[in-house]
């Protein structure tokens, strides 16, 4: 194992998590969902805390790993979370209840984000997380940027695609969509992107002031 690999492994194992997050992570794996990694979850918690986020939106609820992480150090925040799979959303509701998250802080929406996002208020959210169908990434990002306030962030986990994004031979639709997004955000003067190797890659895009 190289030094870079050891560093990555150490960083992944470093964060501690609450029992509800650990339980949600275990349930995710049982249901065949790939949750955000521990280091990615720690980044999400940190973003919400440092920004003192009051409104957070999530595309792809899963069973609540990322949602609980976003709310962990942001007691004043509300979470709007969109999930297309009814079974996952039912499990997520139970996860949030079990973690003691008040119903007044949650808006869990069952549906296709492409239909839900256009109904959300523009420039209303401090953080928008995109963790859904990668083939629809560019469409999700366009909506996400629109509902993010100036100074807010859009966060996209899985930005390295398990090594496929950096592999020129990988030409599948999801990988190409991520490459296209990375190219778009790198060139836009209206946003400030950062790509981290945390987890399977974490893209953070700050919407700059108009």
């Amino acid at each position: 194992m190289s030094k870079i690999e050891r560093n990555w492994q150490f960083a992944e194992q470093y964060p501690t998590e609450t029992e509800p997050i650990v339980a949600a992570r275990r349930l995710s794996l049982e249901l065949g969902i790939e949750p955000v990694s521990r280091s990615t979850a720690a980044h999400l918690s940190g973003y919400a805390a440092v920004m003192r986020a009051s409104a957070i939106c999530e595309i792809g609820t899963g069973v609540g790993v990322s949602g609980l992480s976003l709310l962990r150090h942001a007691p004043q925040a509300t979470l709007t979370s969109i999930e297309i799979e009814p079974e996952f959303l039912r499990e997520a509701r139970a996860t949030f209840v079990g973690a003691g998250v008040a119903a007044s802080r949650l808006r869990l929406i069952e549906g296709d984000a492409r239909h839900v996002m256009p109904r959300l208020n523009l420039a209303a959210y401090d953080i928008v997380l995109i963790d859904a169908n990668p083939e629809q990434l560019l469409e999700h990002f366009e909506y996400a940027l629109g509902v993010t306030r100036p100074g807010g962030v859009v966060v996209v986990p899985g930005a390295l695609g398990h090594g496929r994004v950096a592999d020129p031979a990988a030409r599948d639709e999801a990988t190409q969509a991520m490459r296209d997004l990375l190219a778009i955000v790198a060139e836009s003067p209206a946003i400030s992107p950062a790509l981290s190797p945390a987890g399977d890659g974490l893209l953070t895009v700050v919407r700059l002031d108009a």
Side-chain angles (χ1 to χ4, degrees), residues 114-179:
R114 293 174 297 176
H115 303 149
V116 176
M117 294 292 283
R119 303 201 301 266
L120 301 182
N121 292 333
L122 296 176
Y125 294 91
D126 302 295
I127 301 172
V128 180
L129 174 70
I130 304 175
D131 190 13
N133 190 333
E135 286 84 4
Q136 298 166 1
L137 178 59
L138 295 176
E139 193 171 359
H140 288 331
F141 182 80
E142 181 179 358
Y143 288 130
L145 197 61
V147 302
T148 303
R149 66 164 176 82
V153 298
V154 178
V155 187
V156 185
L160 296 178
H162 297 291
R164 295 191 302 274
V165 172
D167 179 4
R171 302 294 180 88
D172 60 279
E173 187 176 354
T175 298
Q176 192 55 54
M178 183 60 72
R179 288 194 189 114

Side-chain angles (χ1 to χ4, degrees), residues 53-75:
S54 61
I56 300 170
C57 180
E58 174 183 46
I59 303 174
T61 313
V63 297
V65 174
S66 52
L68 287 178
S69 300
L70 285 161
L71 295 175
R72 183 177 182 182
H73 300 309

Side-chain angles (χ1 to χ4, degrees), residues 6 25 34 51 129 143 166 168:
R6 283 198 298 271
R25 187 177 296 285
E34 183 178 358
M51 296 176 70
L129 174 70
Y143 288 130

